[in-house]
Amino acid sequence: MMLPERIQGRSIRTLPLFISTPKDDDPKPKSVPTSFEQTDKPGAATILVVDDDMPNLMLAQALLETEGFNVRVAVNGATMFDVLKTCTPSLILMDIQLPENDGWELTQQLKADPATSHIPVIAITAYGKAGDAQRARDAGFVEFLSKPVSTRELPGIIRRHLQAN
């Protein structure tokens, strides 16, 4: 989520959703999708990414599809619920800072609905503070990640939660 340079007279720094740490032994990059086309892989888990920042959505889609997941995207609560009418994801990556309804409220709605209460939800935020990880667990999130999230670690975190579910 991109924010203005100054809020209430204080300088702030926006953080990207992901950070990558290339190594010499990294495989050559695979093709990156240029749009939000849905190319489902039979038998692959579907991940729903909810974030209002388009570059974050595109990067998340490219990363997760490269890792073998099917990906759906939503930019706010309304589009998230539209996506949920067409598929049941295996896991949801939820940005906390969203327009209209924030990730806290949306996750509470998901957990209150028997049709979606079983879906693991991972919180992602640039504004993590002391106590938020416990608050996230209490709200129904299975994990709380602070931005930037490592592109090397995220697929493993997702797989761990998929196996536990």
Side-chain angles (χ1 to χ4, degrees):
M1 177 171 93
M2 302 305 287
L3 296 173
E5 288 298 315
R6 299 180 71 72
I7 292 182
Q8 298 178 352
R10 295 185 308 174
S11 292
I12 63 167
R13 183 173 65 117
T14 57
L15 297 173
L17 175 60
F18 300 103
I19 188 167
S20 180
T21 53
K23 290 187 176 180
D24 291 338
D25 62 346
D26 279 348
K28 291 185 180 183
K30 298 178 184 174
S31 64
V32 176
T34 57
S35 68
F36 290 111
E37 295 175 12
Q38 297 174 356
T39 55
D40 284 348
K41 298 166 189 77
T46 298
I47 309 301
L48 172 57
V49 182
V50 185
D51 195 317
D52 59 328
D53 184 76
M54 285 303 201
N56 286 345
L57 285 176
M58 292 174 65
L59 180 57
Q61 181 181 25
L63 170 68
L64 297 175
E65 285 182 350
T66 299
E67 290 290 328
F69 297 108
N70 295 319
V71 180
R72 299 290 183 274
V73 296
V75 296
N76 57 32
T79 58
M80 178 190 77
F81 287 112
D82 286 344
V83 170
L84 290 171
K85 291 175 188 174
T86 65
C87 77
T88 302
S90 304
L91 184 138
I92 299 173
L93 289 177
M94 178 80 70
D95 185 23
I96 294 295
Q97 304 293 324
L98 293 168
E100 298 147 20
N101 306 95
D102 65 22
W104 299 107
E105 183 179 337
L106 292 174
T107 298
Q108 289 174 339
Q109 291 175 22
L110 290 168
K111 295 305 176 181
D113 183 344
T116 57
S117 63
H118 68 283
I119 302 170
V121 183
I122 296 176
I124 300 179
T125 185
Y127 302 102
K129 53 188 174 203
D132 278 351
Q134 183 59 47
R135 179 181 174 206
R137 283 189 291 280
D138 293 344
F141 291 98
V142 296
E143 183 130 359
F144 184 83
L145 303 174
S146 292
K147 293 179 185 178
V149 177
S150 168
T151 57
R152 290 184 162 283
E153 295 174 10
L154 184 62
I157 292 168
I158 290 172
R159 286 186 178 94
R160 184 178 76 231
H161 288 293
L162 291 174
Q163 289 172 352
N165 197 29

